[in-house]
Amino acid sequence: MKSVTELEAEATAAIEAAESLSALREVEVRFLGRNGSLNKLFEQIGSIPAEERREFGRAVNEAKAKLEAALADRMSKLKAAEERKAFASEAVDITLPGRRPRAGLPHVMTQAADRIKSALIGLGFEFFDGPELEEVRFNFSALNYPPDHPAMDDQDTFYIDDQRLLRTQCTAIQGRVFESRKPPLRMFTIGRCFRNEAVDRTHSHTFHQVDAFMVDEGIGMHHLKGTLGAFARAMFGPEVKVRFRPDYFPFVEPGVEYAITNPFKSGSEWLELGGAGLIHPNILRSYGIDTERYSGFAFGLGVERIAMSQNGIDDLRLLLENDLRFLEQFPA
Amino acid sequence: MRAPVDWLNDYVRTQASANEIAATLTMLGLEVEEIESSDIGPVLVFKVTPNRGDCLSILGLARELAAKDPAKYAPTELFAQAVHGFALGDESKRLPDTLVTIEDLELCPAYGARLFESIPFKPSGDKIRARLVAGGMRPISVVVDTTNYVMIELGQPLHAFDRDNLTEGRIVVRRARSGETMRTLDDMDRALDDQMLVICDAARPVAIAGVMGGADSEVSANTKNVLLESAHFSPASIRRTRTRLGMNTDASYRFERFVDPQGVQRALNRFAMLLAEQTGVSPVEGTCLVSAPFHEPRAIKVRESRWTALLGMSVPRAAAGSSLVALGFNVTEDQDGLMATAPSWRSDIGFEEDLIEEIGRLWGYDEIPEALPSGATPVGGEFGKSAFVSSVRRAALRLGFTEVLTHSLRDTSPLDLGRGPRVRNPVSPELAMLRPSLLHGVAEAAARNRGRNLQLFEIGRVFTSESERTHLAMLIAGRLMDDHWSGGPPPPADFFALKGHIERLGDLSQAQIEFKPLDDPRFHPGRQAGLAAGGQDLGCMGQVLPDVAEALDIPKETFVAEIDLDVLAAGRTDSIRYAPISAFPSVRRDMALLVPKSVPYGAIEAAIRNELGSLAERIWPFDIFRSEDMPEDMHSIAVAVVLRRSDRTLTDEEANEARERTVSALKALGARLR
């Protein structure tokens, strides 16, 4: 019959020697299980003299507690080791490529249009949509183009018939707005326009324009300059300044070409963006708007010009070719 | 317009460099696009806006410079002479009125003629030749060159006729008669009509008024006696005529942009002066000048308060007045501003606002401060249909589709069902039609990116002869995912991949999209479906017919869809209402059914839904297959149903009863449990 001390030493050695969780479980069963050595030892308590029983019981319990602690300690060590092994075998090569979900990309022109849209909406302008296949009158006579006037030479027009054409300018929405709405107005549109031009790096028969206008009491050129300034700074950064130079468009008086200080490193000092001016009083009057009370401004710009200047694109034709190697360079 | 700086110096004396002059003119609204060099120094190349015909001349440009800064650009003696019409001292002398007859004073309000006799045939003087070359014209002879010289200098086109070739040596101005023809200087035979104004002699047309002279009366090496024409024509008439004839000349360019009607005599005199300098030939005394009464422009009031408000800057009244005077206006001051009468060469001035532009332009737009509008601020934003279209674009992007933008003008395509409207004057026949569908465009984009796994969409306008609508087109081809090292090839694009996208798009656009049988010749007969929403046709989807795919150079298995967003917008539900989440558990029951192949799955699902009503929370097929032990025309469809009550827990017995009920209801379709 082994003594408690001998048994404890034997069990401690076995625990330390167990090299796996299953071996440890065997040790546990052998020494601490219901039929384990320790219980068997305890069962002999009847054969021990009564005055020694108390001391014997205490010794067995103490040994049991020690062995349980040693077992738990060994268990956690072995678990950690096995986990480490499992993790090591499950390790991935982080340099392998990931499984990329498909992501839809908005077209670079839509991205430019969206930037313009949010800048103008931020300035209180409301989006208004007009048709691309437009009535001749909205494109010309409603915009104060006199009949048979050379101003139309700048707008080489695709006609469908005598009444309909492909709009040459988004300003064509003005008449449509004035027919249904009353001032105060701040409206804009973004859309496709067409002019009968040959295609090269900077020209196309199809292009996109933004046209915005405002009518309210006491509107002047300073409001146009201020609004364009705020718009341009929203688009191009806080340092940008606006310059006007006189120009002619039948639908504005005075009319200007506006440029901004070139926000890009390369190129000329001024970046011309488009035409603007105070809405011609003939237009306001023809829609029954009292020009002594109301005045307004209008401005336009090309979406292509924005997309190209902001992204350094040097050939307009790329925009509608839809080569993914081009489009994927602008992930939004 | 090309203006040699040397020539400008005849009219305004200046020390300014070509760059400075160009900057000044540009900021006055006369955009200098380029400065070229020539034998006589720098030449400014201008864009003159169509309202400023008066600036298509050295005199006009000089006037602008002098008005902007008379200290820097001092008007010369020649400028003063021009202002006084280069009077030769014989203004009162008249040639007989019979020399010129005007039959249409509306189209030709003024016609002046002078006669020159025994002119030697020789080249023009060196200075004139050099300036013409710098101005972009080819020197020919002293008579022709001098007419061109005066045109560039004063803006008044002149025409010299060989008077000996004019029947009866006289001029009749009238409309052409239908069917009349004439050979022009460029040796082209021109068919005339009664909308065109012609210059005739006693017998026949000898020039198309304001556009080009005739070959028969052209001055030549043999010309001795010249009748010189200086006239004013109706700008719109000149434009109509030259457009109809497909011509564009230096003369017509100026006439359609308005030539000073009071400048007719001045140009005749200047020509006489220059011809005498070069040849010693003086004109026959007197001018024949026939004209309609000239309507003196009315004085326009311009209020100081108004120009301050519209320009957003204050321009002192005295400065405003002197600017206008320098531009040739007749100006008087009145109580609250100025009264100004436009000079005869400024047809573009009609309202107070026109004068305000002149005042602002001369003062300088750089002085305008920036200010934001105050007052009632409307709510900005995007609403209604355009907001919906934007949300569909976002939905397509969320589904992983990449946006393309393609041309609206194109040729017909096998992917079109009908034809779009045609442009009357296309750039080329391949760009003559407005697209009736977006499918061709997305297919072209697919062809351009062949070899890639594609998932493309476009949103844009399509056209029929009656309407313009906004469509969405989608295209998938190749594999649904890009290849990855971790497994075999990903599944290829198929009908159900595209259908799933459309179903999901319906969810994202809050619209219920239905799929119906379709018979569309563009698609694989067994792989196509019509789309509908709210009972209205919405569009279609299908596999592009393999022949068509081959012709368009796109993958054989290409799936496309086209959806009318105007219909989808109308079919959507406006607001989303919260539905309480049931607190009670659901029960799933599966049925492995043997179903005749002729029965579409949709009929089975409809029958189940019909039998179970609101008890069936979700119904879906989870396995479809066929094996040899099944009758020839049958296959197996395993359907799962999730049952749930919103008011209490469903018992097993109830679920089993529902399943049995469903199975017996499906017998009507020829389906039974396997």
Side-chain angles (χ1 to χ4, degrees), chain B residues 41 90 94 190 222 356 395 401 449 465 479 495 516 672:
Chain B
D90 60 352
R94 291 282 169 207
R190 308 284 181 177
N222 303 319
I356 292 173
F401 284 79
N449 296 288
S465 52
R479 301 201 170 271
F495 183 89
K516 299 164 146 186
R672 58 172 194 271

Side-chain angles (χ1 to χ4, degrees), chain B residues 424-625:
Chain B
R424 208 160 59 181
N425 53 330
V427 183
S428 68
E430 303 81 54
L431 297 173
M433 186 184 73
L434 279 170
R435 59 187 177 189
S437 154
L438 298 179
L439 291 183
H440 179 79
V442 291
E444 223 171 38
R448 179 167 283 277
N449 296 288
R450 247 210 109 132
R452 300 274 304 251
N453 298 322
L454 296 173
Q455 207 170 315
L456 306 175
F457 82 102
E458 177 171 18
I459 291 175
R461 306 286 175 85
V462 298
F463 306 83
T464 66
S465 52
E466 300 84 32
S467 71
E468 173 175 342
R469 308 186 71 85
T470 305
H471 277 194
L472 160 72
M474 303 167 96
L475 177 148
I476 60 171
R479 301 201 170 271
L480 295 178
M481 293 282 296
D482 293 336
D483 281 352
H484 195 250
W485 52 268
S486 62
D494 66 1
F495 183 89
F496 296 104
L498 185 57
K499 185 180 177 190
H501 281 303
I502 293 169
E503 289 166 341
R504 190 60 87 194
L505 185 85
D507 296 345
L508 296 176
S509 336
Q510 296 169 54
Q512 188 70 43
I513 299 180
E514 301 146 50
F515 297 79
K516 299 164 146 186
L518 181 70
D519 184 13
D520 188 322
R522 297 172 295 175
F523 302 131
H524 184 308
R527 293 180 179 175
Q528 55 173 295
L531 311 179
Q536 272 199 286
D537 277 347
L538 187 65
C540 56
M541 67 166 291
Q543 179 184 341
V544 175
L545 207 61
D547 283 356
V548 173
E550 198 185 330
L552 295 170
D553 195 27
I554 55 176
K556 194 169 153 239
E557 303 240 327
T558 297
F559 296 84
V560 295
E562 184 160 24
I563 291 173
D564 186 329
L565 296 186
D566 292 275
V567 176
L568 192 65
R572 90 201 132 123
T573 49
D574 272 346
S575 60
I576 299 172
R577 305 291 303 173
Y578 153 77
I581 297 162
S582 172
F584 304 100
S586 64
V587 183
R588 173 172 165 169
R589 287 291 178 272
D590 293 352
M591 291 169 279
L593 298 166
L594 207 54
V595 183
K597 280 193 200 160
S598 58
V599 175
Y601 166 75
I604 293 175
E605 185 178 315
I608 298 172
R609 194 167 295 288
N610 184 47
E611 184 59 39
L612 297 178
S614 61
L615 195 59
E617 188 177 81
R618 203 183 142 213
I619 305 166
W620 74 100
F622 64 91
D623 192 25
I624 297 178
F625 76 99

Side-chain angles (χ1 to χ4, degrees), chain A residues 97 102 105 110 117 127 132 148 153 157 159 162 192 221 225 233 253 292 321-322 324 328, chain B residues 239-240 303 310 357 368 370 381-382 401 403 405-406 408 424-425 448-449 452 455 468 485:
Chain A
R102 194 162 278 183
L105 307 181
T110 304
K117 221 181 234 181
F127 187 85
E132 292 171 9
D148 289 310
D153 285 357
T157 309
Y159 284 93
D162 289 341
R192 208 167 254 209
M221 293 291 277
K225 210 178 204 182
R233 286 186 285 273
E253 184 77 42
E292 284 297 309
E321 272 176 2
N322 302 304
L324 289 176
E328 285 169 353
Chain B
R239 182 178 164 78
R240 276 197 301 275
R303 292 162 291 174
L310 290 186
E357 177 169 47
I368 298 173
E370 282 195 23
E382 191 177 26
F401 284 79
E403 187 181 24
L405 291 177
T406 71
S408 312
R424 208 160 59 181
N425 53 330
R448 179 167 283 277
N449 296 288
R452 300 274 304 251
Q455 207 170 315
E468 173 175 342
W485 52 268

Side-chain angles (χ1 to χ4, degrees), chain B residues 32 91 96 169 208 210 272 288 347 559 576-577 592 631 642 648:
Chain B
V32 177
E91 295 297 289
I208 299 169
C288 177
S347 66
F559 296 84
I576 299 172
R577 305 291 303 173
V642 168
R648 60 176 172 79

Side-chain angles (χ1 to χ4, degrees), chain A residues 4-176:
Chain A
V4 174
T5 321
E6 279 167 348
L7 196 61
E8 189 187 322
E10 193 186 334
T12 304
I15 288 169
E16 287 308 314
E19 283 303 328
S20 69
L21 283 173
S22 54
L24 190 65
R25 231 162 269 128
E26 273 172 32
V27 173
E28 183 180 16
V29 170
R30 180 145 64 91
F31 292 98
L32 292 166
R34 200 185 303 158
N35 296 314
S37 315
L38 212 59
N39 269 353
K40 287 213 174 93
L41 192 66
F42 195 67
E43 278 162 15
Q44 293 168 15
I45 197 161
S47 61
I48 293 211
E51 64 277 18
E52 286 172 29
R53 277 184 198 167
R54 187 188 167 88
E55 177 58 24
F56 177 76
R58 195 191 50 80
V60 171
N61 278 334
E62 228 167 59
K64 191 178 180 187
K66 268 190 198 158
L67 289 177
E68 275 171 351
L71 196 75
D73 184 53
R74 184 68 187 155
M75 179 89 74
S76 77
K77 277 188 183 130
L78 285 176
K79 260 193 184 154
E82 284 197 5
E83 230 168 39
R84 267 200 303 280
K85 218 167 120 191
F87 283 156
S89 72
E90 287 162 13
V92 298
D93 177 353
I94 59 160
T95 64
L96 280 170
R99 206 177 284 116
R100 292 178 157 222
R102 194 162 278 183
L105 307 181
H107 193 281
V108 61
M109 292 278 287
T110 304
Q111 295 180 35
D114 282 348
R115 290 193 294 272
I116 294 165
K117 221 181 234 181
S118 53
L120 288 174
I121 287 174
L123 286 163
F125 285 77
E126 177 185 334
F127 187 85
F128 185 93
D129 221 356
E132 292 171 9
L133 178 46
E134 184 55 281
E135 293 175 36
V136 171
R137 65 188 177 107
F138 283 123
N139 200 76
F140 289 127
S141 58
L143 295 177
N144 196 40
Y145 279 78
D148 289 310
H149 195 273
M152 289 188 217
D153 285 357
D154 296 339
Q155 315 259 318
D156 231 336
T157 309
F158 288 120
Y159 284 93
I160 301 294
D161 49 40
D162 289 341
Q163 275 77 48
R164 296 180 304 162
L165 47 66
L166 299 187
R167 67 177 170 195
T168 60
Q169 46 196 356
C170 277
T171 321
I173 66 152
Q174 259 187 33
R176 292 182 172 272

Side-chain angles (χ1 to χ4, degrees), chain B residues 63 155-156 231-232 258-264 266 294 343-345:
Chain B
R63 189 187 293 118
Q156 170 71 55
H232 180 78
F258 195 78
V259 169
D260 183 4
Q262 299 286 70
V264 165
R266 172 169 56 215
F294 177 71
S344 57
W345 58 85

